């Protein structure tokens, strides 16, 4: 009679060293190759008040008017602050930024601005104006950061026949 030998059952070991080496190299490469997209949303507060509601007389309401002839900065209650005419079909956003920084230094608690936009203003000019009134680049500890100006932007349509204040005075004969 023959003896049957029982085979010892040994579970085979899986060598995953090569796979782990691949993962160690592949994960950082994939992470570095990723495109990090950033979606930004700009919240807009549209102007308008409830019926019968009026602003307090001491309230400062900053209005920036953007029309093809230039930019006007005004207080809706007290009048015109500065006029920045367009030079060679280019809006003076740097001048706007400087005026708004001066206003922010005088009224630091103010965070809202009304951006009055003319019909003939293109989309890129509108976005540049919105970015300009919201913040400015500042250098802090050798790095560039965004300083806050007026982050609460409300949009409003400028009247179709709106002229720049300096041009309107010249046309009416007041500037002569």
């Amino acid at each position: 009679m023959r003896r049957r030998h029982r085979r010892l059952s040994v579970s085979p070991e899986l060598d995953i060293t090569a796979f782990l080496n691949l993962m160690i190299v592949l994960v950082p490469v994939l992470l570095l190759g990723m495109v990090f997209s950033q979606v930004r949303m700009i919240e807009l507060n549209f102007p308008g008040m409830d019926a019968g509601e009026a602003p307090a007389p001491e309230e400062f309401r900053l209005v920036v008017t953007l029309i093809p002839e230039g930019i006007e900065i005004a207080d809706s209650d007290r009048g015109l602050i500065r006029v920045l005419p367009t030079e060679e079909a280019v809006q003076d956003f740097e001048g706007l930024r400087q005026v708004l920084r001066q206003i922010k230094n005088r009224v630091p608690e103010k965070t809202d601005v009304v951006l009055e936009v003319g019909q003939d203003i293109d989309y890129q000019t509108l976005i540049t104006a919105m970015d300009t009134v919201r913040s400015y680049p500042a250098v802090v500890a050798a790095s560039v950061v965004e300083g806050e100006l007026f982050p609460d932007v409300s949009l409003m349509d400028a009247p179709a026949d709106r002229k720049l204040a300096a041009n309107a005075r010249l046309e009416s004969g007041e500037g002569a």
Side-chain angles (χ1 to χ4, degrees), residues 95-172:
L96 173 63
R97 182 176 287 122
Q98 296 305 322
V99 172
L100 292 178
R101 285 182 69 180
Q102 292 172 0
I103 293 170
K104 187 67 173 183
N105 287 337
R106 290 186 178 178
V107 191
E109 64 276 355
K110 180 84 173 149
T111 61
D112 62 311
V113 63
V114 175
L115 187 59
E116 191 177 40
V117 183
Q119 292 177 346
D120 297 329
I121 297 297
D122 62 288
Y123 181 74
Q124 185 58 48
T125 304
L126 171 63
I127 296 300
T128 305
M130 289 176 70
D131 289 342
T132 302
V133 300
R134 291 175 68 223
S135 63
Y136 65 94
V139 178
V140 176
S143 59
V144 178
V145 297
E146 290 295 315
E148 180 181 277
L149 286 173
F150 303 97
D152 302 327
V153 179
S154 300
L155 289 179
M156 180 174 151
D157 286 333
D161 59 347
R162 181 82 154 84
K163 299 283 184 200
L164 199 62
N167 294 345
R169 283 190 207 135
L170 290 175
E171 289 175 4
S172 66

Side-chain angles (χ1 to χ4, degrees), residues 49-122:
M49 301 179 122
D50 295 334
E53 187 177 299
E58 69 272 0
E59 188 175 320
F60 177 68
R61 185 170 174 230
L62 184 62
V63 178
V64 175
T65 304
L66 182 64
I67 53 178
E69 292 84 29
I71 302 171
E72 288 181 1
I73 303 109
D75 176 5
S76 64
D77 297 331
R78 294 168 192 85
L80 195 60
I81 296 172
R82 178 77 57 92
V83 176
L84 303 168
T86 301
E87 293 183 20
E88 299 176 12
V90 176
Q91 298 284 0
D92 186 9
F93 291 117
E94 188 56 39
L96 173 63
R97 182 176 287 122
Q98 296 305 322
V99 172
L100 292 178
R101 285 182 69 180
Q102 292 172 0
I103 293 170
K104 187 67 173 183
N105 287 337
R106 290 186 178 178
V107 191
E109 64 276 355
K110 180 84 173 149
T111 61
D112 62 311
V113 63
V114 175
L115 187 59
E116 191 177 40
V117 183
Q119 292 177 346
D120 297 329
I121 297 297
D122 62 288

